[in-house]
């Protein structure tokens, strides 16, 4: 079977890491036909808009996309392509697994959690204005609806069941944001009552940051609103080994777009230096989504073994300050070639080296941890 996939290379390091991801995807033998379209800086230069209609059309047609990061100018200029894509395609669930891989690049090798972020409303709704003519005061509206809150918390509980991650933590600031925060909190509490098999608890965003920095292994699925989710998913990426290894997915009712947590890292653009793993693990998530489980397992395992061996890894997994055992750094393309070489060869007969999730050990840990 052929799967047609929209491919958006993106800006900065985007073309390098999406090339790397395609190389690895091709090594799985799954028949992926790439429909390549430009969004971001290239599209502005050639079409005068960062998000041409044919990009949206291609994703709607294929219902599947792999995306590189896209630069968003700060303060002025075009609105974020990333935010526009999520809102126009109603990609409401941003799912960002933070899994420490082979204990490398992290002080928290037990980190294995998933951040589920509402991606269409909140403080990213684009409702903002100056209050006065002199621009000395401004307002941004935090739009929270019951509909969007219900569907994101339902998504989180369903994910918890599907992936045997039977602990969901809602993160909010309902003590200060007494309407928007309370609305999200109520949606969570009412949904939790429908999933008695899943442990449900809540944290205020400030406390959550402190808890994660001390003991990330106590958390499994985190569900939250747009801005808190954006910030927490970078924090969790850092706990799990850095932005170079953090993949992500955006789901709507019948569309899925896979993109790394990281941005376009312009300072590394064109240097063949960036870590390709985050974009490669987006391919793993894409393959899982379309039911190509063995191919997905092969990609994850090949990444794990490449990082564990530490013979061909990029600077973020190689240099002093990033790792306890420095090695000479390899290029983005060399690391991708090594992962692709391993994909058909890895041995899947022993369990995947995942510390948690489907292992079942986590459930015991939760009971012990209270
Ligand atoms: P960034 O994630 O691009 O980079 C921050 C730093 O993280 C980099 O300087 C680099 O040190 C490191 N890093 C990121 N990706 C890496 C990789 N693959 N390998 C190794 N190191 C990596 O964040 P930023 O500098 O704040 O943003 C740059 C641009 O990207 C901005 O325009 C921003 O709006 C955009 N952005 C886009 C997306 C997206 O497309 N989904 C997400 C975040 C940021």
């Amino acid at each position: 079977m052929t799967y047609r996939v929209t491919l958006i290379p993106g800006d900065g390091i985007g073309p390098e890491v999406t090339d790397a991801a395609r190389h690895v995807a091709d090594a799985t033998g799954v028949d992926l036909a790439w429909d390549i379209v430009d969004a971001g800086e290239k599209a502005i230069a050639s079409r005068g808009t960062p998000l041409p209609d044919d990009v949206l059309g291609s994703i709607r047609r294929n219902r599947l996309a792999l995306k590189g990061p896209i630069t968003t100018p700060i303060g002025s200029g075009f609105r974020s392509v990333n935010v526009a894509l999520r809102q126009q395609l109603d990609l409401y669930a941003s799912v960002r697994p933070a899994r420490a891989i082979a204990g490398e690049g992290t002080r928290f090798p037990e980190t294995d959690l998933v951040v589920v972020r509402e991606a269409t409303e909140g403080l990213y709704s684009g409702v903002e204005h100056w209050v006065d003519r002199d621009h000395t005061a401004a307002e941004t509206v935090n739009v929270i609806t019951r509909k969007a809150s219900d569907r994101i918390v339902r998504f989180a509980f369903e994910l918890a069941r599907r992936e045997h991650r039977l602990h969901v933590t809602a993160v909010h600031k309902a003590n200060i944001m007494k309407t928007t925060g309370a609305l999200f909190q109520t949606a969570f509490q009412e949904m939790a009552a429908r999933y008695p098999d899943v442990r449900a608890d809540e944290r205020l965003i400030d406390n959550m940051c402190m808890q994660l920095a001390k003991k990330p292994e106590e958390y499994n699925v985190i569900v939250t609103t747009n801005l808190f989710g954006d910030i927490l998913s970078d924090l969790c990426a850092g706990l799990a080994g850095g932005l170079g290894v953090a993949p992500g997915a955006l789901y709507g009712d019948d569309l899925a777009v896979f993109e790394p947590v990281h941005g376009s890292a312009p300072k590394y653009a064109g240097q063949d230096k960036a870590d390709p793993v985050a974009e490669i693990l987006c391919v793993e998530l894409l393959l899982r989504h379309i039911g190509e489980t063995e191919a997905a397992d092969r990609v994850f395992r090949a990444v794990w073994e490449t990082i564990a061996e530490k013979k061909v890894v990029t600077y973020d997994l190689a240099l002093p300050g990033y790792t306890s055992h420095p090695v000479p750094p390899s290029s983005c393309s060399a690391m991708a070639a090594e992962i692709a070489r391993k994909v058909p060869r890895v041995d899947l007969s022993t369990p995947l080296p995942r510390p948690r999730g489907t292992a079942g050990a986590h459930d015991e840990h939760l009971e012990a941890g209270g």
Side-chain angles (χ1 to χ4, degrees), residues 24-70:
V24 172
D26 291 345
T28 64
V30 175
D31 190 4
L32 301 172
W34 304 99
D35 184 5
I36 303 174
V37 290
D38 280 329
E41 288 169 342
K42 252 199 213 159
I44 295 174
S46 61
R47 318 274 296 275
T49 168
L51 187 57
D53 283 344
D54 56 324
V55 174
L56 296 170
S58 171
I59 300 174
R60 284 197 179 101
R61 227 175 15 256
N62 297 326
R63 293 186 294 160
L64 207 54
L66 180 69
K67 176 181 165 294
I70 292 177

Side-chain angles (χ1 to χ4, degrees), residues 284-303:
E284 180 220 337
L285 300 181
L286 184 152
L287 292 167
R288 258 181 231 297
H289 176 71
I290 60 178
E292 296 285 352
T293 310
E294 189 193 319
D297 287 348
R298 286 188 174 281
V299 170
F300 185 73
R301 188 115 192 183
V303 165

Side-chain angles (χ1 to χ4, degrees), residues 22 27 38 44-45 64 90 103 107 110 124 149 159-160 171 175 180 202 248 269 277 297:
R22 275 178 68 183
D38 280 329
I44 295 174
L64 207 54
D90 201 23
R107 297 195 188 106
E110 295 297 310
Y124 290 59
S149 301
L159 180 145
V171 177
N175 56 333
T180 51
E202 299 170 34
V277 165
D297 287 348

Side-chain angles (χ1 to χ4, degrees), residues 34 37 47 54 61 76 90 101 116 127 130 154 175 187 203 228 290 318 343 362:
W34 304 99
V37 290
R47 318 274 296 275
D54 56 324
R61 227 175 15 256
S76 60
D90 201 23
I101 300 178
V116 178
V127 186
W130 295 107
R154 184 183 301 109
N175 56 333
R203 297 282 180 277
F228 295 158
I290 60 178
V343 163
H362 178 56

Side-chain angles (χ1 to χ4, degrees), residues 175-310:
N175 56 333
I176 302 295
M177 296 196 249
K178 295 203 186 281
T179 54
T180 51
L183 202 162
F184 183 77
Q185 182 187 33
T186 305
F188 176 75
Q189 289 172 351
E190 290 182 13
M191 195 62 69
R194 297 195 209 167
Y195 292 82
D197 52 320
V198 181
R199 177 182 161 198
D201 53 21
E202 299 170 34
R203 297 282 180 277
L204 297 174
I205 176 66
D206 40 348
N207 180 30
M208 186 78 234
C209 292
M210 191 278 291
Q211 298 285 344
L212 282 169
K214 276 182 76 102
K215 40 190 178 182
E217 72 281 2
E218 297 216 341
Y219 296 90
N220 206 343
V221 178
I222 291 171
V223 62
T224 189
T225 49
N226 210 339
L227 177 64
F228 295 158
D230 194 1
I231 297 166
L232 282 182
S233 51
D234 265 45
L235 168 59
C236 292
L239 295 170
L243 284 171
V245 296
L250 291 157
Y251 298 101
D253 282 337
D254 61 354
L255 303 178
V257 175
F258 299 84
E259 64 169 6
V261 176
H262 67 71
S264 55
K267 70 178 178 191
Y268 294 140
Q271 296 178 32
D272 197 15
K273 178 172 177 174
D275 189 336
V277 165
E279 193 79 50
I280 289 170
L281 291 177
C282 288
V283 169
E284 180 220 337
L285 300 181
L286 184 152
L287 292 167
R288 258 181 231 297
H289 176 71
I290 60 178
E292 296 285 352
T293 310
E294 189 193 319
D297 287 348
R298 286 188 174 281
V299 170
F300 185 73
R301 188 115 192 183
V303 165
W304 183 288
E305 290 185 3
T306 303
I307 293 179
E309 276 176 17
K310 270 185 82 167

